[in-house]
């Protein structure tokens, strides 16, 4: 079977870097482009980081720079206590060759790449949904031409996970709730990998040491980057290791059978106390007409096979090293 064509929309970000290494190592996936968005750091920093990772991981696909501000124009402080001031755990970074930067802005790149490969491109979006929403605004007709959209974002309360920025909101959705609500209203097939499953997949420090020892320079890079990230998680939750977050979106595209899903339209709270909360109306029962009526159904992931996902991640990267 030919590999699935993928656009990776990202805000690197330590777990973004881990997911990109997984993606580029998988024979099941073909990376067509990396599009950047603000989030874990400013757009200048996430774009610089994407260019660095492209160079370090020997990726051929281009990087297209994306949104610098969310749709509501409100830029939150960057989460440097999570990802470091440079977005990659404050490891030293070399000079970056900017010649790999694509001439198109990210949303235009997404539209044109999907239109050039109708029915074939899966968009894996692991940052704020700003570029995707801008792509829908740019070309409202292009959405059904995407094969699928798989996002890391949101939280629906399964397995005790409901938020990481506020008690009800996950970071990628909280950072641009309007964009996420527009993406969920789009006429495409979306699968949501939220905290419900990503916080079930802890990569322990022992697991990361095994990756470091088995995956050469790339394994060492992931180890170095994750030191700050692991300290953050240890300090706030007491866990030993880091959550796989963005890598689970890649795992879903490689092997969806590792996840259990529930279908139904999804809305995002766009203002007030619960801003950024994601709420699905399950298709399995009827409700009175309301904000979810006449919207497309999407899948949310409510459970996953954690040991199999961790094995898939480790084996894919070590085999390719
Ligand atoms: C998400 O937020 C970002 O910090 C991570 O890169 C991940 O995409 C987790 O909530
Ligand atoms: Ca991310």
């Amino acid at each position: 079977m030919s590999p699935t064509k993928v656009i990776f929309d990202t805000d690197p970000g330590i777990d973004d870097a881990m997911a990109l290494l997984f993606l580029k190592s998988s024979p099941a996936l073909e990376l067509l482009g990396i599009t950047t968005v603000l989030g874990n750091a400013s757009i200048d920093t996430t774009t610089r980081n994407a260019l660095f990772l492209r160079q370090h991981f020997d990726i051929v696909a281009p990087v297209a720079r994306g949104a610098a501000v969310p749709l509501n124009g409100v830029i939150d402080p960057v989460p440097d206590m999570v990802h470091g001031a440079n977005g990659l755990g404050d490891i030293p970074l070399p000079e970056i060759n900017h010649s790999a930067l694509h001439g198109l802005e990210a949303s235009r790149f997404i539209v044109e790449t999907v239109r050039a490969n109708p029915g074939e491109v899966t968009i894996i979006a692991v940052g704020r949904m700003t570029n995707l929403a801008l792509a829908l605004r740019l070309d409202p007709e292009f959405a059904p031409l995407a094969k699928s959209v798989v996002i890391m974002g949101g939280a629906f309360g399964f397995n005790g996970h409901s938020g990481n920025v506020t008690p009800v909101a996950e970071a990628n959705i909280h950072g641009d709730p309007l964009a996420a609500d527009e993406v969920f209203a789009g006429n495409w097939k979306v699968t949501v990998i939220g905290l419900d499953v990503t916080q079930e997949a802890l990569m322990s420090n022992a697991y990361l040491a095994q990756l470091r020892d088995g995956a050469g320079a790339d394994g060492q890079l992931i180890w170095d980057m994750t030191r700050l990230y692991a300290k953050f998680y240890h300090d706030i939750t007491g866990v030993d290791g880091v959550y796989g977050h963005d890598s689970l979106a890649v795992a879903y595209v490689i092997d969806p059978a590792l996840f259990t899903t529930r279908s139904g339209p999804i809305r995002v709270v766009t203002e007030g106390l619960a801003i950024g909360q994601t709420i699905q109306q399950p298709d399995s029962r009827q409700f009175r007409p309301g904000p979810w009526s006449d919207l497309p159904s999407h899948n949310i992931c409510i459970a996953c096979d954690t040991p199999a996902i961790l094995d898939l991640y480790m084996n894919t990267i070590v085999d390719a090293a």
Side-chain angles (χ1 to χ4, degrees), residues 165-169 174 269-277:
V165 173
T166 77
V168 295
H174 186 266
V269 179
T270 55
E271 56 191 2
L273 184 68
I275 189 167
Q277 183 174 15

Side-chain angles (χ1 to χ4, degrees), residues 244-266:
H245 292 314
D246 294 350
S247 291
L248 271 79
V250 177
Y252 179 87
V253 180
I254 298 172
D255 189 356
L258 299 176
F259 296 82
T260 306
T261 59
R262 185 181 79 171
S263 70
I266 302 165

Side-chain angles (χ1 to χ4, degrees), residues 47-288:
T47 305
R48 187 273 317 270
N49 291 351
L51 288 165
F52 161 68
L53 293 167
R54 175 186 181 276
Q55 198 171 292
H56 195 280
F57 294 156
D58 279 328
I59 289 172
V60 178
V63 173
R65 179 187 166 102
V69 288
L71 297 187
N72 65 8
V74 180
I75 302 183
D76 298 326
V78 294
D80 51 5
M81 66 296 189
V82 188
H83 295 268
N86 74 0
L88 294 179
D90 288 338
I91 58 164
L93 296 174
E95 279 302 305
I96 304 306
N97 176 4
H98 277 66
S99 64
L101 202 54
H102 199 278
L104 292 179
E105 188 275 335
S107 56
R108 175 68 70 183
F109 178 89
I110 292 169
V111 167
E112 294 205 357
T113 306
V114 168
R115 280 204 170 274
N117 300 272
E120 293 186 7
V121 179
T122 292
I123 304 168
I124 303 180
V126 297
R128 301 174 186 198
M129 305 300 132
T130 321
N131 291 334
L132 270 60
L134 290 173
L136 287 174
R137 288 181 179 191
L138 197 62
D139 182 351
E141 309 301 322
F142 100 102
L145 300 175
K147 181 178 181 190
S148 70
V149 178
V150 177
I151 72 159
M152 190 279 129
F156 298 85
F158 288 91
N159 312 309
H161 306 300
S162 52
N164 59 1
V165 173
T166 77
V168 295
E170 181 280 330
N172 288 340
I173 306 296
H174 186 266
D176 196 339
L178 275 177
D181 202 42
E182 290 185 20
V183 166
F184 293 137
N187 184 18
W188 44 15
K189 189 178 146 209
V190 180
T191 300
V192 183
I193 315 289
L195 299 178
D196 313 76
V197 287
T198 69
Q199 291 193 162
E200 290 294 293
L202 183 75
M203 297 175 169
S204 69
N205 284 308
Y207 175 90
L208 294 167
Q210 196 186 331
L211 187 72
R212 175 197 61 202
D213 297 342
D218 294 340
Q220 184 68 50
L221 185 82
I222 299 300
W223 173 261
D224 293 343
M225 270 194 267
T226 51
R227 294 311 83 212
L228 183 87
Y229 202 36
K231 180 176 180 325
F232 166 77
Y233 279 122
H234 186 265
D235 289 350
I236 63 157
T237 64
V239 299
D240 163 49
V242 306
Y243 293 125
H245 292 314
D246 294 350
S247 291
L248 271 79
V250 177
Y252 179 87
V253 180
I254 298 172
D255 189 356
L258 299 176
F259 296 82
T260 306
T261 59
R262 185 181 79 171
S263 70
I266 302 165
R267 294 299 310 265
V268 179
V269 179
T270 55
E271 56 191 2
L273 184 68
I275 189 167
Q277 183 174 15
T278 44
I279 307 170
Q280 186 189 52
Q281 175 175 285
D283 286 333
S284 52
R285 61 156 286 180
Q286 298 212 319
F287 294 85
R288 68 169 72 169

Side-chain angles (χ1 to χ4, degrees), residues 6-21:
V6 168
I7 295 172
F8 189 59
D9 188 66
T10 177
D11 62 334
I14 296 163
D15 61 315
D16 301 73
M18 297 172 74
L20 181 60
L21 176 60

